[in-house]
Amino acid sequence: MLRIAGVGLIGLCAIWGAIEGTMWLRHREKNISDLADGISLLRQELELAPVSIEQMMAQIEKTCEGEAKKLFSGFQKRLCELEYKSVAVLWRETVEELENVPDEARGILVSVGTVLGRYDMHEQAETIKVAEQRLAQVRQQMREELRQQEKIFWALSTSAGGFLIILLL
């Protein structure tokens, strides 16, 4: 009886491992989607209403979710250090604090900070549009990776669970 309970627990652990792996990948993909949406909002704000960078970040932060909200609110808080550091440095420091974001996406986000406040609104918007397109490509790659890795997680976890069950029986 105890052996059957152990076998059942091992099977549940295998399923749990697959679910956790899949959820981690989905969380990464959602972070990329949130960040892409946030960058899109940044571009739209630059094109529509030229306001101060503090006001712009406050407006964008209100409508963002997840890591994008963390990015814009963190940057807005760091703007008080603007007399000591450049916008690009403050933006990079904020991007580095983001969690569960691939390095490729971080690089794209850092490139956005290099143009913020440095050029006219049109040039900023164009550069951000390019970053937006690159983030969309990363998001698509993440979706494809999610589909492939999801299958791998399920196959590995069920195989490992089955192997352990055979060993116990």
Side-chain angles (χ1 to χ4, degrees):
M1 183 68 166
L2 192 57
R3 193 174 241 179
I4 292 172
V7 167
L9 283 174
I10 289 173
L12 287 175
C13 286
I15 292 170
W16 177 78
I19 291 171
E20 279 296 309
T22 301
M23 293 305 292
W24 178 77
L25 287 172
R26 286 187 180 163
H27 184 66
R28 272 179 74 135
E29 193 268 329
K30 181 171 180 350
N31 286 344
I32 298 295
S33 292
D34 290 343
L35 289 166
D37 293 344
I39 294 300
S40 177
L41 284 171
L42 177 62
R43 181 184 51 78
Q44 291 169 11
E45 287 292 325
L46 280 170
E47 290 174 341
L48 295 177
V51 295
S52 72
I53 198 163
E54 293 90 354
Q55 292 173 326
M56 190 182 320
M57 293 303 139
Q59 291 171 352
I60 295 170
E61 186 251 339
K62 289 177 188 174
T63 57
C64 288
E65 297 179 358
E67 290 297 297
K69 186 174 193 85
K70 185 177 175 182
L71 172 66
F72 291 107
S73 67
F75 181 66
Q76 183 183 11
K77 290 175 187 170
R78 287 179 189 260
L79 285 173
C80 64
E81 302 173 31
L82 199 52
E83 56 189 65
Y84 309 110
K85 298 177 181 178
S86 70
V87 171
V89 169
L90 296 174
W91 182 266
R92 182 177 33 81
E93 289 174 353
T94 308
V95 168
E96 288 171 356
E97 290 180 353
L98 298 176
E99 299 171 0
N100 205 10
V101 176
D103 291 338
E104 185 179 357
R106 282 182 200 277
I108 294 167
L109 292 171
V110 167
S111 72
V112 169
T114 60
V115 297
L116 283 179
R118 293 187 69 199
Y119 304 104
D120 69 6
M121 297 298 173
H122 179 72
E123 287 184 48
Q124 289 181 51
E126 285 300 313
T127 303
I128 292 171
K129 188 173 187 173
V130 170
E132 195 178 337
Q133 292 167 348
R134 289 176 54 207
L135 277 175
Q137 292 171 346
V138 171
R139 181 182 358 187
Q140 186 60 33
Q141 290 171 349
M142 290 291 297
R143 285 185 180 143
E144 291 170 10
E145 181 183 325
L146 174 64
R147 279 188 232 113
Q148 293 171 350
Q149 299 254 341
E150 209 170 41
K151 293 175 186 175
I152 292 170
F153 278 130
W154 280 102
L156 285 176
S157 64
T158 53
S159 298
F163 178 72
L164 288 173
I165 289 170
I166 290 170
L167 281 177
L168 285 176
L169 292 177

